Amino acid sequence: MRQSPRGRTPFSRGRRLVAGAAVLSSLGLLTACGDDGDEGSNGEGPTLEVWIMEGTNPDAEPYVEALEAAFTEETGASLDVQFIQWADAHDRFTTAMAGGELPDVAEIGTTWAPEFGAAGALADLSGSIGEAGLGEDLVPGLIDAATVDGAVYGMPWYAGIRSLMFRSDILAEHDLQPPTTWDELREVALQLRDLEPDMIPFPVSGGSEYGLYPFVWGAGGQIAEQDGDGQWRSTINSPEAVEGIEFYTSLATEDDLSVAAAETWLETDQLESFQNGEAAMIVNGNWTVNTLLQADPAWADQIGVVPLPGRESGFSPSFVGGSLLGEFNSDEPELAWQLIEMMSTGDLAAQWAEQSGYFPGQQSLLEEVQQQGEPLVAPFAQQMLEAGAALPVTELYGQVQGEQVVQGMLQRILSGDQSPQEAADEAAAAMDETFGG
């Protein structure tokens, strides 16, 4: 089994754009607000309380210092920046909602925006975004995730996306080209199964939902849709969605391109199999490439990336994850928006993206990243610009994810307990129960 060789030159600064770690209950109508009325440390203006998630940017202190200085210079106000662990953040927010002690501005996961917006905790930023002329320049998957019934409950800050990663050295050794359609994906994997019997051509991870969604969307299906009355209902058992589910799972159940252990694998397990030299192709995120490069710079000559192939042409859509900046009904809404705009646009947005390894939330900045042509960066940027997608924008889908409905569906198919249609029907019924149908 091949292992990544060691001892080669370090990766370039540009490749740090693929670094990072990331991500992703209705309460009563509550307002918030940090220390809005307090005078800042400079004694000249109020202080805004800001929550930023810890871990996204490995060394956020220089950025925060630059942000604080720029904000004070422009507004005369000050910032009280607090770092919150991702694992604790959701509970911190809901506890703060109940106690009326929310910050003025905070980083939030994309799937939290509908929930916190429904709770009345977040301000609608659509007017500010429109007045600033930013609406047309925001990454669609991120702005879609923040928008509920016309209200925008967060400004896109940074984003990540999954594409097809593969062992470029192995494909080159056997004169194979990266796949551009679903049939080619299967064919390349089948050839690798024969040519590299000690490798897993394409592990199908039953414990992760995000590898499946591109095939559902790529076949023309949806996970759930709203009816004319605004009621959500699952469509994961529609003919189009089941076609995508069937193709994805058949790579394991019919073509023997995966392994039984992968039935319960998470994305981290899948990445580990790739890093150990076991897997040849995987669906994974732009932030994981730098994990490999930091562990061994020689991976720079071993990895290839292409957007996820479309069924017959083009690309299959991939989930756009990342973070938004939300205003929690601050007593200083104009200052809060100035801060949000400063963090999410221009030099400070580009600085955060470069340091954290994620992509910026503006299409214009993302296009600049793509145009730089970094081979391990540009394909992810192209995926996001041309084929990014959002999950159902409702606070109820967070409950669906918490119940691991899609993972359970995958595992029943991969284990042979149910057919794709049977498992999809059961998953749809479970979703509809959560949606209240």
Side-chain angles (χ1 to χ4, degrees):
M1 205 172 293
R2 287 177 174 80
Q3 303 293 327
S4 172
R6 300 184 179 275
R8 305 203 185 161
T9 57
F11 58 97
S12 70
R13 178 177 178 81
R15 290 196 178 103
R16 289 178 186 152
L17 283 163
V18 296
V23 141
L24 11 142
S25 62
S26 294
L27 302 172
L29 182 63
L30 297 169
T31 57
C33 318
D35 300 318
D36 301 324
D38 297 343
E39 288 201 346
S41 58
N42 57 11
E44 298 177 359
T47 295
L48 298 188
E49 184 176 331
V50 183
W51 289 4
I52 292 177
M53 300 304 110
E54 189 167 13
T56 303
N57 186 335
D59 184 13
E61 290 302 324
Y63 172 84
V64 169
E65 290 176 3
L67 174 65
E68 290 174 336
F71 185 72
T72 298
E73 181 179 355
E74 182 166 318
T75 68
S78 300
L79 301 178
D80 175 15
V81 178
Q82 300 177 24
F83 288 95
I84 310 296
Q85 292 286 346
W86 271 111
D88 304 327
H90 189 276
D91 288 345
R92 284 283 298 272
F93 279 118
T94 54
T95 300
M97 285 183 207
E101 298 178 348
L102 284 159
D104 296 280
V105 172
E107 173 185 359
I108 57 174
T110 54
T111 57
W112 297 350
E115 177 185 354
F116 297 164
L122 286 169
D124 177 8
L125 300 179
S126 58
S128 297
I129 292 172
E131 289 175 10
L134 295 169
E136 299 300 317
D137 193 31
L138 301 178
V139 171
L142 284 181
I143 194 65
D144 290 348
T147 305
V148 182
D149 297 330
V152 180
Y153 292 121
M155 174 71 172
W157 189 19
Y158 64 83
I161 200 163
R162 294 160 180 82
S163 293
L164 183 68
M165 295 168 54
F166 57 91
R167 286 290 300 272
S168 58
D169 57 331
I170 300 296
L171 266 64
E173 181 179 334
H174 299 295
D175 200 25
L176 298 173
Q177 297 299 313
T180 61
T181 66
W182 288 8
D183 285 344
E184 288 180 12
L185 175 63
R186 171 181 275 128
E187 182 58 32
V188 170
L190 286 169
Q191 292 187 61
L192 288 172
R193 184 189 65 184
D194 296 334
L195 295 167
E196 296 287 342
D198 290 331
M199 297 191 80
I200 307 167
F202 185 83
V204 178
S205 303
S208 172
E209 61 194 298
Y210 296 110
L212 168 68
Y213 292 146
F215 297 94
V216 171
W217 290 324
Q222 295 292 331
I223 303 162
E225 294 179 335
Q226 280 182 294
D227 61 23
D229 297 326
Q231 173 70 39
W232 283 90
R233 62 181 182 85
S234 176
T235 53
I236 202 166
N237 61 338
S238 69
E240 295 84 0
V242 171
E243 179 186 351
I245 295 167
E246 189 167 28
F247 175 83
Y248 180 63
T249 56
S250 72
L251 298 175
T253 59
E254 297 178 16
D255 297 323
D256 195 27
L257 301 174
S258 184
V259 289
E263 292 175 13
T264 58
W265 276 3
L266 306 175
E267 279 191 334
T268 50
D269 300 310
Q270 181 202 66
L271 181 64
E272 183 179 354
S273 75
F274 190 81
Q275 188 169 18
N276 290 342
E278 298 167 353
M281 297 187 291
I282 60 173
V283 177
N284 224 301
N286 61 294
W287 56 91
T288 65
V289 174
N290 205 47
T291 301
L292 300 174
L293 295 173
Q294 286 180 339
D296 186 346
W299 276 112
D301 298 323
Q302 309 282 317
I303 310 170
V305 181
V306 291
L308 284 158
R311 180 172 52 180
E312 296 177 356
S313 63
F315 306 138
S316 291
S318 185
F319 169 61
V320 178
S323 280
L324 310 167
L325 292 170
E327 181 213 321
F328 283 86
N329 293 312
S330 171
D331 290 340
E332 299 282 353
E334 292 184 4
L335 277 177
W337 170 250
Q338 281 183 274
L339 175 63
I340 289 171
E341 187 173 13
M342 186 177 292
M343 293 175 69
S344 58
T345 64
D347 291 342
L348 282 166
Q351 181 180 336
W352 180 266
E354 180 177 3
Q355 291 178 7
S356 69
Y358 274 84
F359 289 128
Q362 286 181 273
Q363 293 191 86
S364 55
L365 294 178
L366 190 57
E367 287 168 359
E368 291 179 14
V369 172
Q370 184 182 359
Q371 291 166 5
Q372 289 172 6
E374 285 281 349
L376 301 182
V377 179
F380 287 111
Q382 184 179 20
Q383 176 87 62
M384 189 174 295
L385 285 167
E386 300 182 27
L391 297 177
V393 185
T394 165
E395 70 274 15
L396 297 174
Y397 200 72
Q399 297 179 36
V400 171
Q401 290 185 300
E403 294 160 2
Q404 298 198 4
V405 172
V406 174
Q407 293 92 321
M409 176 191 73
L410 280 172
Q411 290 168 3
R412 291 192 298 276
I413 298 169
L414 294 173
S415 65
D417 290 341
Q418 290 183 326
S419 69
Q421 186 68 63
E422 291 169 339
D425 286 341
E426 185 172 323
M431 286 188 196
D432 286 343
E433 183 174 351
T434 298
F435 293 148

